[in-house]
Amino acid sequence: MAVAEIQLAHLTCIFMQLFTISRSETVLNFMGHGEELGRHRPPEGHVEVMETLPSSREFWERFASKRNPVLFRGIGETFPAFRLWTDEYMIENFGDLKIKIEGKTEKDYYPEGELGVAQDTIRHFLETYQRDNKYVVSQLPDRLSPDVTVLPFLNCGTFKERLLEANLWMSSGGTKSLLHRDADNAINCLLNGTKDWVMIDPAHEDLIPIAKEDVDAYGGFSLLNPDSVDLEKYPSFQEVPWTYVNMTAGDCLFLPYGYWHQVRSYGEKNLAVSVLFSRLREVDLAECETGPPPEPIRLSDSQMVFRYDGYGDQTMGNTDPFELQEQFTELCEEHGFLREDIMRQALSEGYNEFDDETIQPVDLDLDIIEDTAKQMMTVLDPEGTGEVPCDKMIALKLDTLTLLADIMDNDPANTEGYEYAKFDPEEISELISTLVGEARYESMTINPDEFVQRYQSIGGSAKIAKEVLGILNPEEKREITVDDIFQNLPAVLEKFDKKMKAEITSALEWGNALREHATTWHTEGDINISKEKGKPGPASKEGLNEPMDKQETLHVTIDSKSKSRSTEHTHEEL
């Protein structure tokens, strides 16, 4: 019996060794396993390049209607911004304008700017971006829009009526994005630096490991680590064909909605603008073909829907109001009218879930959904009848639709109040409790400067720390007593009781889960910055710059649009 057991154990050991070797050899046979995105198979080639601009009809029939990307070589050189937007010019002319910033690590980090976490001025950004981990991912302030051109094929017919927003991207280069897709069409024009893009047709997304999106959403992120693609965990990705784009300053790329892409940027200064327009199923281009040929116009003269004055809150990433009207109308026609409970149910079904077993969705915040439905019904039914007829939905004006989009998609990171949504009251209470505990053993007081430093150490900004001190210490004493804190703490915690959109907290949790099984990302030193400033390194056969040392639904749901809010969302590890 003992001999049989020994023999069985021996055979089991041999089997496990063979299994391990076989498994290892299988992984090793996966081309590109453990390497950066784009090494899993050779590319299909560069996306189509055009040296001249197409007509509106050609653009629709060849590209927009078919969701085919195309690069327009050098057209951005005609933009006033191409020659004007030096750092010095922007500081002098636009320095006071507020912009939104992110860090170079995807999704979960917002750096401190002059106006708080995730909020900066153009002046302060340009004075610090070469040394700090920060990156402008912002709605374009209106004062910059005269320097940006709307390409002529978008300046007629349905196209000119469906321009949505414009965004600004700026960094010191050396950034990377996750593989992701955006909800709207975009024309992305590079003004400084260079960019390489990995492009994947959405026809192949069933082979991509992605977060499951709600039915009508086209935004989202892949779970792949773009620096070390795990083909053992995601073997189907090896079959995904891809193309590439090499952009230099002055190039403009048409990026169709829902088209998967990853972006790598180079150059000491990398600066781009993008103009977003609706995902369209049909267009009326009669105006384009019967009248005079459309001309390029300044963005400031366009009919763009969402604008930003450069001082208030942004609307970056808000749902397309035209699509929102379609969704409302369809929902209304399904029920014969709209009520708050119908709206609430549709909103609940519209939020994201995740399909990876290691990533758990955050619980839906029913309070947020209820508040959102209530606010939207207040706009739609100001008389308080409790029901909204469908003919009223069909007749909604654009300003009402944009207001509804803002209620539904209001992102705290678009506001200076982001920090009050970012931190839970419990976190602030714990911070203050720690300081009070330390004070009990010393002077029974807290030094304001010490509070600012401690608050910044948990990811807050000096600006908001001082606002909190103004509540804790309204008399501006040099030392804050424990009695002052106990008396004023409830008012402070009330400030931090803001409700954050489920979409944002989902993104944070997604980011945390990704990091748990991701390998280390490259640091900036590993990214190819050419020896010649502002120029890309030599392109490989794959079209990517090598490192220098290596060459249908039963219920209608309201889509709280799952946009990747950046066309590039580039980031790297600190």
mmCIF file of all heavy atoms in Angstrom, residues 21 103 117 150 152 162 176 188 267 278 280-281 293 303 381 446 465 485-486 491 498:
data_model
loop_
_atom_site.group_PDB
_atom_site.id
_atom_site.type_symbol
_atom_site.label_atom_id
_atom_site.label_comp_id
_atom_site.label_asym_id
_atom_site.label_seq_id
_atom_site.Cartn_x
_atom_site.Cartn_y
_atom_site.Cartn_z
ATOM 1 N N ILE A 21 5.662 22.712 -17.623
ATOM 2 C CA ILE A 21 6.487 22.972 -18.797
ATOM 3 C C ILE A 21 5.617 23.277 -20.003
ATOM 4 O O ILE A 21 5.832 24.235 -20.740
ATOM 5 C CB ILE A 21 7.393 21.767 -19.091
ATOM 6 C CG1 ILE A 21 8.424 21.623 -17.956
ATOM 7 C CG2 ILE A 21 8.072 21.916 -20.444
ATOM 8 C CD1 ILE A 21 9.234 20.353 -18.032
ATOM 9 N N GLY A 103 -3.295 63.548 -13.360
ATOM 10 C CA GLY A 103 -1.923 63.085 -13.300
ATOM 11 C C GLY A 103 -1.646 62.147 -14.448
ATOM 12 O O GLY A 103 -2.516 61.849 -15.267
ATOM 13 N N VAL A 117 -7.502 70.526 -5.983
ATOM 14 C CA VAL A 117 -7.247 69.253 -6.633
ATOM 15 C C VAL A 117 -7.985 69.191 -7.970
ATOM 16 O O VAL A 117 -9.175 69.489 -8.043
ATOM 17 C CB VAL A 117 -7.678 68.086 -5.725
ATOM 18 C CG1 VAL A 117 -7.638 66.768 -6.488
ATOM 19 C CG2 VAL A 117 -6.777 68.009 -4.497
ATOM 20 N N VAL A 150 -12.629 75.003 -37.410
ATOM 21 C CA VAL A 150 -13.533 73.905 -37.732
ATOM 22 C C VAL A 150 -13.298 73.543 -39.194
ATOM 23 O O VAL A 150 -13.424 74.398 -40.083
ATOM 24 C CB VAL A 150 -15.008 74.297 -37.515
ATOM 25 C CG1 VAL A 150 -15.938 73.152 -37.936
ATOM 26 C CG2 VAL A 150 -15.261 74.673 -36.060
ATOM 27 N N PRO A 152 -13.678 72.456 -42.961
ATOM 28 C CA PRO A 152 -14.822 72.837 -43.801
ATOM 29 C C PRO A 152 -15.869 71.752 -43.992
ATOM 30 O O PRO A 152 -17.063 72.051 -44.083
ATOM 31 C CB PRO A 152 -14.173 73.227 -45.135
ATOM 32 C CG PRO A 152 -12.782 72.709 -45.075
ATOM 33 C CD PRO A 152 -12.407 72.678 -43.644
ATOM 34 N N ARG A 162 -24.313 69.550 -35.167
ATOM 35 C CA ARG A 162 -24.063 68.504 -34.169
ATOM 36 C C ARG A 162 -22.659 68.536 -33.581
ATOM 37 O O ARG A 162 -22.161 67.543 -33.077
ATOM 38 C CB ARG A 162 -24.350 67.131 -34.785
ATOM 39 C CG ARG A 162 -25.775 66.963 -35.313
ATOM 40 C CD ARG A 162 -26.825 66.995 -34.233
ATOM 41 N NE ARG A 162 -26.747 65.847 -33.374
ATOM 42 C CZ ARG A 162 -27.458 64.732 -33.536
ATOM 43 N NH1 ARG A 162 -28.309 64.632 -34.548
ATOM 44 N NH2 ARG A 162 -27.347 63.721 -32.693
ATOM 45 N N LYS A 176 1.346 57.857 -21.675
ATOM 46 C CA LYS A 176 0.697 56.727 -22.324
ATOM 47 C C LYS A 176 -0.734 56.614 -21.831
ATOM 48 O O LYS A 176 -1.043 57.037 -20.733
ATOM 49 C CB LYS A 176 1.425 55.420 -22.008
ATOM 50 C CG LYS A 176 2.822 55.316 -22.586
ATOM 51 C CD LYS A 176 3.395 53.936 -22.343
ATOM 52 C CE LYS A 176 4.770 53.805 -22.941
ATOM 53 N NZ LYS A 176 5.300 52.432 -22.774
ATOM 54 N N ASN A 188 -9.129 65.190 -33.850
ATOM 55 C CA ASN A 188 -8.063 65.492 -32.910
ATOM 56 C C ASN A 188 -6.878 66.068 -33.676
ATOM 57 O O ASN A 188 -6.304 65.400 -34.542
ATOM 58 C CB ASN A 188 -7.669 64.215 -32.161
ATOM 59 C CG ASN A 188 -6.680 64.460 -31.050
ATOM 60 O OD1 ASN A 188 -5.550 64.880 -31.299
ATOM 61 N ND2 ASN A 188 -7.085 64.165 -29.822
ATOM 62 N N GLY A 267 7.804 64.403 -26.954
ATOM 63 C CA GLY A 267 8.158 65.810 -27.110
ATOM 64 C C GLY A 267 8.132 66.533 -25.782
ATOM 65 O O GLY A 267 7.378 66.181 -24.881
ATOM 66 N N SER A 278 -21.502 64.538 -32.861
ATOM 67 C CA SER A 278 -22.410 63.433 -32.565
ATOM 68 C C SER A 278 -22.103 62.193 -33.383
ATOM 69 O O SER A 278 -21.616 62.258 -34.521
ATOM 70 C CB SER A 278 -23.861 63.835 -32.847
ATOM 71 O OG SER A 278 -24.275 64.902 -32.033
ATOM 72 N N LEU A 280 -23.629 59.814 -35.609
ATOM 73 C CA LEU A 280 -24.783 60.034 -36.478
ATOM 74 C C LEU A 280 -25.131 58.774 -37.263
ATOM 75 O O LEU A 280 -24.239 58.060 -37.728
ATOM 76 C CB LEU A 280 -24.485 61.167 -37.458
ATOM 77 C CG LEU A 280 -24.171 62.533 -36.817
ATOM 78 C CD1 LEU A 280 -23.557 63.465 -37.847
ATOM 79 C CD2 LEU A 280 -25.440 63.145 -36.229
ATOM 80 N N ARG A 281 -26.445 58.533 -37.413
ATOM 81 C CA ARG A 281 -26.908 57.420 -38.237
ATOM 82 C C ARG A 281 -27.284 57.864 -39.639
ATOM 83 O O ARG A 281 -27.306 57.058 -40.572
ATOM 84 C CB ARG A 281 -28.092 56.725 -37.554
ATOM 85 C CG ARG A 281 -27.709 55.980 -36.290
ATOM 86 C CD ARG A 281 -28.870 55.209 -35.723
ATOM 87 N NE ARG A 281 -29.892 56.080 -35.148
ATOM 88 C CZ ARG A 281 -29.900 56.461 -33.872
ATOM 89 N NH1 ARG A 281 -28.955 56.057 -33.047
ATOM 90 N NH2 ARG A 281 -30.862 57.241 -33.408
ATOM 91 N N PRO A 293 -19.257 76.089 -51.729
ATOM 92 C CA PRO A 293 -18.488 75.113 -50.943
ATOM 93 C C PRO A 293 -18.269 75.622 -49.520
ATOM 94 O O PRO A 293 -18.007 76.808 -49.312
ATOM 95 C CB PRO A 293 -17.158 75.001 -51.712
ATOM 96 C CG PRO A 293 -17.478 75.474 -53.087
ATOM 97 C CD PRO A 293 -18.551 76.524 -52.931
ATOM 98 N N GLN A 303 -21.635 76.528 -34.212
ATOM 99 C CA GLN A 303 -22.836 76.269 -33.409
ATOM 100 C C GLN A 303 -22.580 75.221 -32.326
ATOM 101 O O GLN A 303 -23.506 74.536 -31.903
ATOM 102 C CB GLN A 303 -23.971 75.785 -34.314
ATOM 103 C CG GLN A 303 -24.364 76.757 -35.412
ATOM 104 C CD GLN A 303 -25.457 76.209 -36.315
ATOM 105 O OE1 GLN A 303 -26.311 75.414 -35.906
ATOM 106 N NE2 GLN A 303 -25.430 76.632 -37.575
ATOM 107 N N ASP A 381 -41.341 68.965 -15.907
ATOM 108 C CA ASP A 381 -42.707 69.123 -15.415
ATOM 109 C C ASP A 381 -42.766 70.230 -14.356
ATOM 110 O O ASP A 381 -43.052 69.995 -13.189
ATOM 111 C CB ASP A 381 -43.184 67.791 -14.819
ATOM 112 C CG ASP A 381 -44.616 67.833 -14.300
ATOM 113 O OD1 ASP A 381 -45.415 68.616 -14.860
ATOM 114 O OD2 ASP A 381 -44.910 67.105 -13.343
ATOM 115 N N ILE A 446 -4.207 73.122 17.803
ATOM 116 C CA ILE A 446 -3.702 72.654 16.513
ATOM 117 C C ILE A 446 -3.149 73.847 15.750
ATOM 118 O O ILE A 446 -3.798 74.899 15.657
ATOM 119 C CB ILE A 446 -4.818 71.970 15.695
ATOM 120 C CG1 ILE A 446 -5.251 70.675 16.371
ATOM 121 C CG2 ILE A 446 -4.352 71.696 14.270
ATOM 122 C CD1 ILE A 446 -6.396 69.989 15.669
ATOM 123 N N ALA A 465 -7.839 73.181 2.053
ATOM 124 C CA ALA A 465 -7.431 73.126 3.461
ATOM 125 C C ALA A 465 -7.677 74.463 4.138
ATOM 126 O O ALA A 465 -8.159 74.529 5.279
ATOM 127 C CB ALA A 465 -5.956 72.738 3.560
ATOM 128 N N ILE A 485 -12.638 73.204 17.482
ATOM 129 C CA ILE A 485 -12.822 72.099 16.537
ATOM 130 C C ILE A 485 -14.127 71.369 16.797
ATOM 131 O O ILE A 485 -14.914 71.110 15.874
ATOM 132 C CB ILE A 485 -11.631 71.135 16.636
ATOM 133 C CG1 ILE A 485 -10.369 71.833 16.120
ATOM 134 C CG2 ILE A 485 -11.890 69.859 15.845
ATOM 135 C CD1 ILE A 485 -9.104 71.052 16.331
ATOM 136 N N PHE A 486 -14.391 71.024 18.072
ATOM 137 C CA PHE A 486 -15.630 70.321 18.395
ATOM 138 C C PHE A 486 -16.856 71.145 18.038
ATOM 139 O O PHE A 486 -17.873 70.617 17.609
ATOM 140 C CB PHE A 486 -15.664 69.972 19.886
ATOM 141 C CG PHE A 486 -14.746 68.839 20.242
ATOM 142 C CD1 PHE A 486 -14.117 68.798 21.475
ATOM 143 C CD2 PHE A 486 -14.498 67.813 19.349
ATOM 144 C CE1 PHE A 486 -13.270 67.750 21.807
ATOM 145 C CE2 PHE A 486 -13.659 66.762 19.669
ATOM 146 C CZ PHE A 486 -13.037 66.734 20.896
ATOM 147 N N ALA A 491 -20.004 71.495 10.732
ATOM 148 C CA ALA A 491 -20.115 72.317 9.519
ATOM 149 C C ALA A 491 -19.094 71.890 8.476
ATOM 150 O O ALA A 491 -19.366 71.920 7.268
ATOM 151 C CB ALA A 491 -19.932 73.788 9.878
ATOM 152 N N LYS A 498 -20.935 65.918 0.106
ATOM 153 C CA LYS A 498 -21.417 66.001 -1.269
ATOM 154 C C LYS A 498 -21.513 64.601 -1.859
ATOM 155 O O LYS A 498 -20.736 63.720 -1.508
ATOM 156 C CB LYS A 498 -20.463 66.841 -2.130
ATOM 157 C CG LYS A 498 -20.522 68.325 -1.841
ATOM 158 C CD LYS A 498 -19.504 69.050 -2.709
ATOM 159 C CE LYS A 498 -19.597 70.552 -2.516
ATOM 160 N NZ LYS A 498 -20.799 71.133 -3.101
#
